[in-house]
Amino acid sequence: MIEPHDALRLLNGGPVALLTTRFRNETNVMPVIWTVSLSRRPPLIGVAMNQSRHTHDMVRFAEEFALNFPGRDLLNHTHYFGAVSGADVGKLELAKLPTFKASKISAPLIEHCLAYVECSLQEALRLGDHTLFVGRVLVVQAEEEAFDETWRLEEREYRPLHYLGVDRYAVLGERLQAELRTTEEGAIELAEAVEERERREEEEAREAERRKREGEEA
Ligand SMILES: Cc1cc2nc3c(=O)[nH]c(=O)nc-3n(C[C@H](O)[C@H](O)[C@H](O)COP(=O)(O)O)c2cc1C
């Protein structure tokens, strides 16, 4: 039996971000998975944060935060940052991860992440036991190997980390290219797409066979 609140786990899977913040001389970091795009113009993103998090009031008062997107190298750090609270320990200093200065805000950015988003706080909406922090995106940076217009997913170490729940994480395996083919009436042209795919697969198999034979002859 799956409990109603476990429905949230079915929605999990977007990349994990490490949210960094700085308020008065204190810095902190926590992983977040409840993130959402809210507006393109102006660029707004949302983070739903439980009111019990130490980071919660830091973001409320600092009125800014950064999202750092880790890859698989930072898997254990990510889990650690989500298991202990900045109310008890200075996680960022104890983790000994190098940080660097953000361009527009005072929260530090974590080195070796794949992409970074700097935000100022536009709104804070209380929803149940969480607050939806609405961030106005000020600056975005990403490693070329990780992101072109979308996540590239080519090299293993440049794939973002996803969170499934509990202590389980994942990385996406492959970027797929969709093709949009419609009939004049606007229906999806499924039959042709399937036939074409089969033809392409046959051609690819023949080509692979030819290359194998050429290799053997040489
Ligand atoms: C991968 C992962 C994602 C998480 N996502 C969220 C989230 O979106 N919102 C939230 O309130 N807590 C989330 N948490 C829990 C907090 O990160 C965790 O309670 C953290 O220790 C809070 O740190 P703080 O007290 O220093 O702010 C997540 C935990 C993990 C491990």
Side-chain angles (χ1 to χ4, degrees):
M1 171 74 171
I2 299 177
E3 296 294 328
H5 60 254
D6 283 335
L8 302 167
R9 289 255 166 88
L10 292 173
L11 300 177
N12 282 3
V16 182
L18 298 175
L19 187 150
T20 44
T21 185
R22 181 182 180 86
F23 180 60
R24 294 199 172 131
N25 275 329
E26 185 186 348
T27 55
N28 198 21
V29 55
M30 71 173 258
V32 288
I33 184 68
W34 289 8
T35 50
V36 61
S37 307
L38 294 169
S39 162
R40 191 184 277 276
R41 283 201 191 82
L44 300 176
I45 56 160
V47 178
M49 193 180 296
N50 192 294
Q51 283 131 22
S52 68
R53 311 297 185 224
H54 187 62
T55 308
H56 183 274
D57 283 357
M58 291 183 70
V59 169
R60 207 154 62 91
F61 296 126
E63 298 190 333
E64 55 178 41
F65 62 88
L67 298 181
N68 307 249
F69 291 86
R72 63 199 307 145
D73 291 356
L74 293 178
L75 168 67
N76 291 331
H77 280 91
T78 300
H79 204 58
Y80 162 75
F81 291 143
V84 297
S85 176
D88 306 319
V89 284
K91 308 180 228 190
L92 204 47
E93 295 83 60
L94 286 180
K96 298 203 167 60
L97 276 185
T99 58
F100 62 100
K101 269 176 76 74
S103 8
K104 290 266 171 81
I105 63 173
S106 65
L109 302 182
I110 299 175
E111 271 191 33
H112 310 305
C113 282
L114 307 178
Y116 306 90
V117 177
E118 296 175 34
C119 294
S120 62
L121 185 66
Q122 173 130 343
E123 291 213 39
L125 308 168
R126 284 176 87 93
L127 302 166
D129 56 7
H130 278 60
T131 298
L132 180 67
F133 286 125
V134 177
R136 170 80 185 248
V137 177
L138 304 175
V139 187
V140 183
Q141 305 176 55
E143 292 295 330
E144 253 174 50
E145 295 88 341
F147 189 89
D148 43 25
E149 293 174 289
T150 67
W151 290 109
R152 292 175 68 160
L153 308 181
E154 285 159 18
E155 297 171 53
R156 278 163 59 90
E157 62 274 31
Y158 287 101
R159 294 175 189 179
L161 199 60
H162 296 256
Y163 184 53
L164 303 179
V166 204
D167 54 1
R168 297 171 207 154
Y169 292 77
V171 282
L172 294 177
E174 192 186 350
R175 181 161 80 171
L176 304 176
Q177 184 71 51
E179 263 180 62
L180 185 59
R181 284 167 183 271
T182 53
T183 62
E184 271 176 24
E185 305 85 64
I188 186 165
E189 268 195 75
L190 274 179
E192 196 179 289
V194 170
E195 271 170 28
E196 274 196 5
R197 198 191 65 223
E198 282 172 359
R199 211 174 320 132
R200 180 175 47 76
E201 280 170 359
E202 273 171 31
E203 263 170 37
E204 280 169 4
R206 263 201 303 274
E207 176 67 17
E209 187 63 29
R210 190 180 60 77
R211 263 188 267 119
K212 197 172 145 219
R213 247 183 289 121
E214 279 176 1
E216 279 166 7
E217 280 164 18

